[in-house]
Amino acid sequence: MKVVTSGGTGQVGTILSRALTAAGHDVVILTRRPVRDRDVRWDAETLGPWAKELDGSDVVINLAGRSVNCRYTPDNLRAMMDSRVHSARVMGEAVAAASRPPQVWLQMSTATIYAHRFDAPNDEVTGVLGGTEPGVPGYWAYSVEIAKAWERAQKQAETPHTRKVSMRAAMVMSPDRGGVFDVLLRLVRLGLGGPVAGGAQYVSWIHDRDFVRAVEFLIDRDDLAGPVNLAAPVPLPQRTFMRVLRAARGVPVGLPATKWMAELGAFALRSDTELLLKSRRVVPGRLLEAGFAFDYPQWPEAADDLVRRLRGGPGSTSTM
């Protein structure tokens, strides 16, 4: 199977490309800075020679977009919006122009599209989209608009022969250096892995191997299209999530942080508190309904596996 992936050099792209290559597939990575044999240059905005890679391919996976791990300044928010919408739009143009278009186009989206809420989980059918919640920073609504625009750009693409899926992904937990799990574990090791602002906000997550398996499932299931939540079925309040992670790492205590402390820490790390404070209670309704079985549905088993792999224990390889 030939798989064309854009944004394939980021954390999630690296996880996918590594696993799909290990499974024997021909993986082509569209990137601004090609360095390997199967890397192909693109600018994520305009059609070019890269588009011929889609002709005759089986799958295209668009992961391109500016990292959300930054200060949410007006310029950075605009860059997040433009990088996602432009890459999705030009990918649609390339799919539409192919004489033998791919069978399926998997488009990255985000669980951030759902509302900040504590009362009930968000699935694809009954979930509440965000943007109008009271009592949250105004710019959180712009993050939701980015997600909506990202999905809309794919939906509006005229690709009648290609099935389209929007992957509303939760945080992908992997042992790779620099990933979100690595950052959280570093906080735990420093004794800072306690509840933030009370810790009632929900954390939605997915184990990296379940993420890859879910992508493969979506490729194979030609009856699935539209939005699909890629999240483990049991999101947890942040205080519980971090307590489990501390237990997996063998750290008994984690200092709590108030909201203003979180704001100072995020400023120092050049990140934003939305990543810590927004309650993302997201569940994989369509995956479960379609019969997908998670290898790691519960956070304690997932955290234990990730810590062991990060330490280089038996079976610690990150590939599938």
Side-chain angles (χ1 to χ4, degrees):
M1 182 170 70
K2 181 179 180 180
V3 182
V4 179
T5 302
S6 60
T9 57
Q11 183 212 0
V12 173
T14 298
I15 292 167
L16 266 182
S17 300
R18 184 172 58 213
L20 294 172
T21 299
H25 302 299
D26 177 19
V27 179
V28 175
I29 298 176
L30 305 179
T31 175
R32 295 177 186 273
R33 299 177 182 84
V35 294
R36 291 161 293 198
D37 288 343
R38 297 301 282 157
D39 289 357
V40 174
R41 187 182 303 277
W42 86 322
D43 65 2
E45 294 184 6
T46 56
L47 286 174
W50 62 266
K52 70 177 184 296
E53 296 291 344
L54 274 64
D55 205 329
S57 66
D58 299 287
V59 181
V60 60
I61 305 174
N62 182 26
L63 308 171
R66 191 202 193 286
S67 172
V68 299
N69 187 21
C70 62
R71 296 295 298 166
Y72 282 13
T73 64
D75 286 346
N76 285 341
L77 287 169
R78 173 52 59 184
M80 282 188 246
M81 173 74 85
D82 290 347
S83 62
R84 283 157 176 74
V85 172
H86 292 168
S87 63
R89 185 177 297 145
V90 76
M91 188 64 76
E93 293 173 1
V95 172
S99 59
R100 295 172 298 156
Q103 298 172 14
V104 59
W105 170 11
L106 303 181
Q107 171 70 41
M108 195 64 165
S109 183
T110 173
T112 297
I113 199 169
Y114 291 108
H116 168 78
R117 64 189 300 201
F118 303 87
D119 59 328
N122 290 304
D123 65 16
E124 301 90 339
V125 176
T126 64
V128 178
L129 299 187
T132 60
E133 306 97 311
V136 302
Y139 71 88
W140 285 17
Y142 192 77
S143 295
V144 174
E145 289 307 310
I146 291 172
K148 290 178 179 178
W150 207 2
E151 293 189 5
R152 189 163 54 245
Q154 185 197 35
K155 186 176 182 180
Q156 291 175 344
E158 297 292 337
T159 58
H161 304 295
T162 299
R163 177 169 54 94
K164 295 183 286 191
V165 179
S166 295
M167 303 186 295
R168 292 177 176 173
M171 290 189 293
V172 180
M173 299 292 172
S174 84
D176 297 270
R177 299 293 180 184
V180 61
F181 182 77
D182 186 34
V183 172
L184 292 173
L185 205 61
R186 190 179 311 131
L187 292 175
V188 166
R189 290 196 301 267
L190 293 172
L192 303 176
V196 175
Q201 65 275 24
Y202 277 80
V203 177
S204 287
W205 58 278
I206 185 169
H207 188 282
D208 64 327
R209 289 176 172 168
D210 277 334
F211 178 81
V212 171
R213 292 179 56 249
V215 168
E216 293 173 332
F217 186 84
L218 292 172
I219 291 171
D220 292 338
R221 287 291 296 264
D222 58 12
D223 58 330
L224 289 174
V228 178
N229 292 345
L230 270 61
V234 187
L236 297 170
Q238 187 266 345
R239 57 176 171 259
T240 306
F241 182 89
M242 294 305 294
R243 183 171 67 244
V244 171
L245 182 55
R246 293 198 309 270
R249 184 59 178 80
V251 177
V253 177
L255 294 176
T258 62
K259 183 178 178 181
W260 71 264
M261 291 169 66
E263 290 171 347
L264 284 177
F267 183 81
L269 294 172
R270 302 188 64 79
S271 187
D272 198 90
T273 54
E274 185 192 29
L275 302 173
L276 294 172
L277 300 179
K278 183 170 181 177
S279 185
R280 296 171 172 86
R281 194 176 179 184
V282 180
V283 294
R286 297 191 69 196
L287 279 178
L288 293 175
E289 183 181 359
F292 182 79
F294 285 81
D295 285 343
Y296 295 94
Q298 302 280 347
W299 179 232
E301 292 78 12
D304 286 342
D305 175 76
L306 292 164
V307 168
R308 175 181 53 79
R309 289 164 61 199
L310 192 61
R311 286 172 163 171
S316 63
T317 177
S318 296
T319 58
M320 293 293 291

